[in-house]
Amino acid sequence: MAKSEAFARIKGDVLDIVRAVPRGRVCTYGTVGRHLDVMARHVAYVLATLTDDERAGLPWHRVVSDTGDTNRTKRGRGDEQRARLAAEGVPLSPKGAVADLAAVLWVPD
DNA sequence: CTGTTGACGCTCT
DNA sequence: TAGAGCGCCAACA
C-alpha cells in the first residue's frame, strides 16, 4: 500500500465533488478540502496533477480560490479557467477574479 | 534525507 | 476596503 494510495482516494472524492458542481456555479478549494477533511493545498494539487483525460469530463474550472482569484496560478491555466467561467455565465472582475463569489458559490452536500 | 515549491488560506499593514 | 506577506502540509527534485 503506497502512500500515494491515500492521495488517490482524496483525488477520487475531489473529482466526484467537482463533477457535482452545477453549471454557472463555483466552489472554493477550502470548501471542498474541508468537506473531505483535507487541506486546500491537497485539493489544489489534485487538480494540478489531473491528466488531460481526467479534466476532459471534469469542470475543474469551477473550482477557484477563496478570494475567487483565478490568476493566482503560476501554471498559466488561469486564462483558460476564466474563459470557461465567462462562458458558463459567471461574472468576473476586471482583474480576473469572480465578481460575486458568494452569489455563485456552491457548497457540496 | 534535506530543501524548495505550490490551482491556497488567513492575518497584518 | 484593498493589497502584500507569512504559514501549514505534502509532493517533487
Short mmCIF file of all heavy atoms in Angstrom, two decimals, chain A residues 10 16 24 37 41 71 85 89 96 104 108-109:
data_model
loop_
_atom_site.label_atom_id
_atom_site.label_comp_id
_atom_site.label_asym_id
_atom_site.label_seq_id
_atom_site.Cartn_x
_atom_site.Cartn_y
_atom_site.Cartn_z
N ILE A 10 -8.36 10.61 -2.03
CA ILE A 10 -8.75 12.00 -1.97
C ILE A 10 -9.04 12.52 -3.38
O ILE A 10 -10.01 13.23 -3.61
CB ILE A 10 -7.63 12.84 -1.34
CG1 ILE A 10 -7.42 12.39 0.11
CG2 ILE A 10 -7.97 14.32 -1.38
CD1 ILE A 10 -6.18 12.98 0.74
N ASP A 16 -15.23 13.71 -7.71
CA ASP A 16 -16.68 13.49 -7.57
C ASP A 16 -17.41 14.78 -7.20
O ASP A 16 -18.48 15.09 -7.72
CB ASP A 16 -16.92 12.43 -6.50
CG ASP A 16 -18.40 12.08 -6.40
OD1 ASP A 16 -18.90 11.45 -7.35
OD2 ASP A 16 -19.03 12.44 -5.40
N GLY A 24 -22.43 27.29 -14.04
CA GLY A 24 -22.65 28.67 -13.64
C GLY A 24 -22.42 28.86 -12.14
O GLY A 24 -22.71 29.90 -11.58
N ASP A 37 -12.16 16.70 4.58
CA ASP A 37 -11.27 16.66 5.74
C ASP A 37 -9.81 16.68 5.31
O ASP A 37 -8.95 16.07 5.93
CB ASP A 37 -11.56 15.41 6.59
CG ASP A 37 -10.93 15.53 7.97
OD1 ASP A 37 -11.36 16.40 8.73
OD2 ASP A 37 -9.99 14.76 8.26
N ARG A 41 -4.65 22.78 -0.01
CA ARG A 41 -3.49 22.53 -0.89
C ARG A 41 -3.58 21.17 -1.54
O ARG A 41 -3.14 20.97 -2.67
CB ARG A 41 -2.20 22.63 -0.09
CG ARG A 41 -1.97 24.04 0.38
CD ARG A 41 -0.49 24.32 0.57
NE ARG A 41 -0.23 25.68 0.10
CZ ARG A 41 0.42 25.92 -1.02
NH1 ARG A 41 0.93 24.96 -1.71
NH2 ARG A 41 0.59 27.12 -1.43
N ASN A 71 -6.28 34.03 -11.25
CA ASN A 71 -4.99 34.38 -11.85
C ASN A 71 -3.84 34.09 -10.90
O ASN A 71 -2.70 34.46 -11.13
CB ASN A 71 -4.98 35.85 -12.23
CG ASN A 71 -3.91 36.15 -13.24
OD1 ASN A 71 -3.33 35.27 -13.84
ND2 ASN A 71 -3.63 37.41 -13.43
N LEU A 85 -15.23 30.06 -17.31
CA LEU A 85 -16.18 30.61 -16.34
C LEU A 85 -17.06 31.66 -17.00
O LEU A 85 -18.26 31.72 -16.77
CB LEU A 85 -15.42 31.22 -15.16
CG LEU A 85 -14.77 30.20 -14.22
CD1 LEU A 85 -13.96 30.91 -13.15
CD2 LEU A 85 -15.84 29.32 -13.57
N GLY A 89 -21.27 31.79 -17.66
CA GLY A 89 -22.14 32.86 -17.19
C GLY A 89 -21.75 33.35 -15.82
O GLY A 89 -22.51 34.02 -15.13
N GLY A 96 -9.73 39.43 -13.16
CA GLY A 96 -9.73 38.00 -13.44
C GLY A 96 -10.24 37.18 -12.28
O GLY A 96 -10.08 35.96 -12.26
N VAL A 104 -22.26 32.95 -6.62
CA VAL A 104 -22.06 31.76 -7.44
C VAL A 104 -21.45 30.61 -6.64
O VAL A 104 -21.19 29.54 -7.17
CB VAL A 104 -21.18 32.07 -8.66
CG1 VAL A 104 -21.87 33.05 -9.59
CG2 VAL A 104 -19.84 32.60 -8.21
N PRO A 108 -20.83 21.71 -1.47
CA PRO A 108 -21.11 20.27 -1.59
C PRO A 108 -21.98 19.79 -0.44
O PRO A 108 -21.80 20.18 0.70
CB PRO A 108 -19.72 19.63 -1.56
CG PRO A 108 -18.84 20.64 -0.92
CD PRO A 108 -19.41 21.98 -1.27
N ASP A 109 -22.89 18.90 -0.75
CA ASP A 109 -23.79 18.40 0.27
C ASP A 109 -23.10 17.36 1.16
O ASP A 109 -22.82 16.28 0.71
CB ASP A 109 -25.02 17.77 -0.40
CG ASP A 109 -26.02 17.33 0.65
OD1 ASP A 109 -26.11 17.98 1.68
OD2 ASP A 109 -26.69 16.32 0.41
#
